[in-house]
Amino acid sequence: LSELLTDQSNVISVCNKILETVNNPVYETDSFKKTFNLYADNIFYSDPNRANLYLGGGATPSTGQTQQYLLRNDILSRVNDLRDDINFILENDKDLVTNINDAVEDS
């Protein structure tokens, strides 16, 4: 990684590639949640008579379901934070190489 971050153009290129990845529509909140729900134990129902039954005091999500949704939300938060951080770096940081190399050395 440190070899990629030796000059300004490489840093900008890496940041742009990261942005290209996290700006993919699959990482948009609604799309990500829909995809996640296809493979998770879905506690949300499309039938309006059963929709979000647990919220009305009916069924309670299991511990596993709660953990799944907490992890999903954590992933979404981290992707959004990464997107915001990279955008901030590209828009505001005049000496990317120095600051990123310092961050890599500190981690």
Side-chain angles (χ1 to χ4, degrees):
L1 178 62
S2 59
E3 292 172 11
L4 287 174
L5 305 176
T6 56
D7 70 57
Q8 189 89 1
S9 63
N10 284 345
V11 171
I12 291 170
S13 176
V14 168
C15 287
N16 284 326
K17 286 179 183 181
I18 293 169
L19 272 182
E20 183 180 321
T21 300
V22 297
N23 284 332
N24 185 311
V26 299
Y27 292 108
E28 291 177 9
T29 300
D30 288 342
S31 176
F32 189 87
K33 285 181 177 183
K34 285 178 186 176
T35 302
F36 179 89
N37 290 346
L38 290 174
Y39 299 97
D41 292 334
N42 192 356
I43 59 174
F44 301 102
Y45 300 100
S46 56
D47 177 359
N49 295 325
R50 298 176 64 201
N52 302 328
L53 185 62
Y54 77 95
L55 293 174
T60 304
S62 69
T63 301
Q65 289 170 320
T66 300
Q67 289 175 341
Q68 286 176 335
Y69 284 86
L70 288 171
L71 289 171
R72 179 203 66 188
N73 293 340
D74 189 40
I75 292 167
L76 282 169
S77 293
R78 290 173 186 259
V79 168
N80 288 330
D81 289 347
L82 176 61
R83 183 183 301 115
D84 292 344
D85 288 347
I86 296 296
N87 279 321
F88 180 84
I89 288 169
L90 289 173
E91 293 169 7
N92 298 297
D93 202 330
K94 303 300 182 218
D95 193 6
L96 294 171
V97 175
T98 301
N99 290 333
I100 289 179
N101 281 325
D102 288 348
V104 168
E105 289 173 9
D106 290 343
S107 62

